[in-house]
Amino acid sequence: MNTLIIIKPWAVQRGLVGEILARFERHGIRIAAVKAVLLSKDKAEKLYAVHEGKPFFKDVVGHMTSTPIVAAVLETDMLDDEAAVALVRKIVGVTDPTKAEMGTIRGDFGMRKDRNIIHASDSPESAEYEIPLFFTKNDIVSYVKQVI
Ligand code: CMP
């Protein structure tokens, strides 16, 4: 199962990319694709389409397009799809860093809900929608041995 994370502008600027990716790797979650991107307004609006019309929509799009982000596809083949997304989101922590547990990425490095350091797909369906915004099938490797 593949899911998407995005290391947001403030974390990239603070040099936290390696630290954040390492947290997933330490759980046995593998990096199937990774790249630095300066996100276009169009892509950011597509990424956050479910939030269109909400008071923070314009601000989050502005923030996410301000300076580079790092997007990564994570592969977890040891768990079913729902559990894989749940584990990634547990490592990430809840949306508001003031409420996120210490030991989670947002709890350890975040401060503001609207600048919460990292995005993670919230369901297998969201991952299916979000991954192609950043990566083609050819960009993504698999560590799972496939028997033909
Ligand atoms: P993310 O997981 O990237 O998904 C939507 C983003 O909008 C969220 O993290 C926050 O960075 C931002 N945001 C700002 N205000 C809110 C809010 N009140 N509720 C949810 N998300 C918010």
Side-chain angles (χ1 to χ4, degrees):
M1 147 87 201
N2 286 340
T3 191
L4 183 83
I5 59 140
I6 299 172
I7 303 172
K8 296 186 180 185
W10 278 16
V12 176
Q13 288 170 30
R14 285 164 56 196
L16 294 172
V17 174
E19 164 76 41
I20 289 172
L21 291 178
R23 289 183 175 222
F24 296 104
E25 287 191 294
R26 286 205 293 262
H27 275 268
I29 296 170
R30 295 154 178 150
I31 298 162
V34 63
K35 71 172 159 194
V37 191
L38 183 57
L39 204 55
S40 67
K41 185 167 178 265
D42 178 58
K43 279 259 169 78
E45 286 176 349
K46 285 196 172 109
L47 175 70
Y48 287 121
V50 292
H51 296 297
E52 204 169 343
K54 293 184 186 167
F56 59 85
F57 179 73
K58 212 173 152 192
D59 174 75
V60 80
V61 168
H63 174 57
M64 293 296 282
T65 55
S66 61
T67 58
I69 52 132
V70 172
V73 176
L74 303 180
E75 184 190 67
T76 47
D77 58 309
M78 311 286 221
L79 297 169
D80 67 47
D81 292 3
E82 300 290 339
V85 167
L87 176 59
V88 167
R89 289 176 65 78
K90 180 137 194 158
I91 295 167
V92 164
V94 298
T95 307
D96 184 345
T98 66
K99 300 197 170 74
E101 297 283 339
M102 292 295 151
T104 66
I105 294 168
R106 286 170 173 162
D108 286 352
F109 304 119
M111 193 180 278
R112 282 169 43 178
K113 191 176 189 175
D114 59 351
R115 300 286 184 270
N116 62 0
I117 300 296
I118 182 166
H119 169 82
S121 303
D122 65 3
S123 66
E125 295 72 31
S126 300
E128 252 178 61
Y129 171 78
E130 292 174 359
I131 290 169
L133 295 174
F134 295 90
F135 300 98
T136 66
K137 281 204 164 70
N138 285 340
D139 294 328
I140 302 168
V141 300
S142 176
Y143 298 83
V144 183
K145 279 188 194 142
Q146 294 189 358
V147 180
I148 302 168

